[in-house]
Amino acid sequence: MNTEVFAARHIGISEKDLPQMLKTIGVDSVEQLIHETIPDDIKLKKPLDLPAGISEHEFLDHLQELAQKNKVFKTYIGLGYHESLTPSPIKRNILENAGWYTAYTPYQAEIAQGRLEALLNFQTMVSDLTGMEIANASLLDESTAAAEAMTMLFELRNRQQKKDNASKFFVSEEVLPQTVSLLETRAIPLGIELVIGNHETFDFSSEYYGVLLQYPGKYGQVYDYGSFVEKAKANEIKVAVAADILSLVLLKAPGEWGVDVVVGTTQRFGIPLGYGGPHAAFFATKEEYKRSIPGRIIGVTKDTDGNRALRMALQTREQHIKRDKATSNICTAQVLLAVMAGMYAVYHGPEGLKYIANKVHKHARVLVSTLESHGFQQTNTAYFDTITVKVKQVEKLKQATEGKGINLNYVDPETVSISLNEAVSDQDVQVLVSCFLEAHNIQRKEANIAKEEAIPTALQRKTAFLEHEVFNSYHSETELMRYIKRLERKDLALNHSMISLGSCTMKLNAASEMLPLSWPHWGNIHPFVPLEQAQGYQDVLKSLEDQLNVITGFSATSLQPNSGAQGEYAGLMVIRAYHESRGEGHRNICLIPASAHGTNPASAVMAGMKVVVTKTDERGNIDVADLEEKVQLHAENLAALMVTYPSTHGVFESSIKQITQLIHDNGGQVYMDGANMNAQVGLTNPATIGADVCHLNLHKTFAIPHGGGGPGVGPICVAEQLKPFLPSNPVIKTGGKEAITAISAAPWGSALVCLISYGYIKMLGAEGLTNATKAAILNANYIKDRLKGKFDVLYTGERGRAAHEMIIDCRPFKANGVEVTDIAKRLIDYGFHAPTVSFPVAGTLMIEPTESESLAELDRFCNAMISIREEIDEASADEPNNVLKNAPHTLGMITNDIWEHPYSRQKAAFPLPYVAENKFWPSIRRTDEAFGDRNLICTCAPIEAYAEA
Ligand SMILES: *Cc1c(COP(=O)(O)O)cnc(C)c1O
């Protein structure tokens, strides 16, 4: 074996496994299998036009070299992004630890209690600091969180007041520019009218349903919004505030004014800047809005034995499950980053956070006093960390700072704003001062440090926060390390076993792809620095766009969307802009097959489209006759078809070209949901099937880890005619000639993790990528044929083949009293995470092995499934005390002196020999969903609970 070929490390099976696998499937060669799987008329005729792969060490050298092209300045630009210090134990034990970053979204609560607890900490931290009752478990970035607030409040108004005329949303001119741009994008399709202005002269007229304020303002002024909020309330106008999380340590919490929503980012709680992301945003609100909250919420409940258990709360769990009734399409959020930010608060505790906030604030005051002593005027009457200074020699100041490797925020020809952060030292403050003196030719003199407060008493925080035990226990590294490990042990991630989640593509996230994320030359770049300071990033992002253009067959790519769902929305908005540019703005019908992922209809509604659902036939394919009928019916107004390919049923539909042609013939555009791109790369592509735009989930197909539910990157790739409309950013120019406004806060979305996908493509090369696709299809078909006779596969292609995943039908087992959930939970006893449960068909499992699994692991999984099938046969609807219904079995159950089950402990916990070698113990039994939703608790228990105990 050539030990330098990355493909051999990434792909789990090898030449020697082939004869056995091919025999099981009943084909002579992989080529024959592919031939029987992918329709001939969409197969690529040529290999991908990408270079050959490079080795892992070559890739790391290459990224070292590129990293040197990024210039790490001391950056005081602020605007929602601040240099932060990631505590080393958090970096090493979470960010660099596969036990954390390779976990999936915690749908299977019994094997996810660790990250659920970490997220509960995050929610508690956010609730405490904002002074709000309830917080979710992260959103994509501050600007999208603000947009979610705008739309949630609009929806609430519409529902409560049966559509009065209040459709205006006021946005303070103090709000960050990227947020304003994003609000514009999101407001237009929903008929919300944005009015941007000075909150001090706002008239509170009845046309407004809501407002957004920034706290502190974008250049650091701290306003007292108390009387504003009061007036707004009196006029039935809801108030959302975008707040800086660190400032809330010293400033009065917005919740104390009675605001309705508080949003923001937790980036400065130990998360690298990463040229824009990924970072976890937060969304905190009142308990009364709990059913309208976007994203996921972690809640406390109990398990079968009555023990405390955590799980995703409110049975709908996520808005997008409501499909076209949803008000948000958030699916993947920013779990790994939320875990890190929450752990930052655990490590520092309330006293540590106060130390940090005070240090930052003190540096700001010293800077102000010193500048004022030298005759400069600072204009913020109250400030936390960001000051605004009037300058005469702005050009000279720029020269002086740039010469010393410093970035300031140049507001206008006479004003600069300087935003300080945790990483600033006394020395850094003095260097800043000397830049001002040098530029203005002033001699340094002794400075007086001002006595008066920079934060007026009325705005100072008086309330306690983070009093819970978890924030007051782990302040030494040993304690923190063990706490992190204790949580990690409760979670099953890819470093334990295969996670065969259909549609989610849980493949290897290679260490070499991940390593550069830790390097300061990638981590410590602010998204709004001048392009010449980020040439390393520009090289990578441009190359990645080119790579994705080649792979999809399209003309251009925008890396801005931070998740697949965000990509869907971006793509539909681009289609919308395209129709408008042709004078066809009336086109607003979006056809979506019934089997589509819930985010598809949710995104379409957010883009102002009307969803028309089309049927699937008995083979699971799009019912072409029904589609034709609906196309004809809506031909005048047809905007788009959203289609997943291969379908969510795991099949390459052979009529796809006919379908896309039909849409084009009737003036529509075709949006391809690219979640299943892992079955296409190198063999076919979206352009070939006739699509016009697709998103890719870089966190599925292109090796970015799921991180327990994020980060994600959902770029859109478009055909030539849609290229002009790719999204822009108001601070750093990106996107097409007639660009739509922002989709994400940062110009290139979550640039830092784009390094992973870039590395994946670069190391596999054209041949490796294509072989990965073939292996994914081979592995899926191997599982399908090994399970033959035991489980029925719901849909296959015309020649009986699955694509890269398959749906197995578990509904017949109801006769034995066995539900699909019982199988999912029983798999835990065998050491496996369940496949996707009940999507896209209720009562089924969707299995996707990916190319990264070895034959041995595929066999262990198949053996587990076959063994479970025998257990299903033994089960009866009359006897619920059986091994399936009681699953998963905890160590507590097995070692209990009382054992009242008609099967052995051995059978319960060690059902097959391989299990003993690598036993995974779930930390709780099944969670009680209904109990948790009736008694919704979304924060750590209050301090009184400990006092009572
Ligand atoms: C995962 C998935 C999505 C949503 O992607 P996110 O990154 O979670 O927003 C959309 N469609 C399909 C078919 C998916 O599997």
Side-chain angles (χ1 to χ4, degrees), residues 427-438:
Q427 171 70 17
D428 293 328
V429 173
Q430 292 315 318
V431 173
L432 270 171
V433 171
S434 49
C435 292
F436 278 83
L437 300 186
E438 186 186 316

Side-chain angles (χ1 to χ4, degrees), residues 558 585 593 789 798:
S558 166
E798 278 163 13

Side-chain angles (χ1 to χ4, degrees), residues 331-332 503-504 563-566 568 597 599-600 644 648 673 675 695 697 699-700 839:
C331 181
T332 287
S503 209
C504 301
S563 73
Q566 215 70 302
E568 292 168 20
H597 194 267
T599 52
N600 288 192
T644 306
T648 49
D673 180 328
H695 78 257
N697 301 67
H699 47 300
K700 295 178 180 172
F839 169 78

Side-chain angles (χ1 to χ4, degrees), residues 628-651:
E628 262 172 16
E629 199 177 295
K630 283 171 178 151
V631 167
Q632 298 315 336
L633 188 63
H634 298 290
E636 279 293 292
N637 296 320
L638 183 63
L641 166 77
M642 288 185 95
V643 59
T644 306
Y645 202 76
S647 74
T648 49
H649 290 150
V651 178

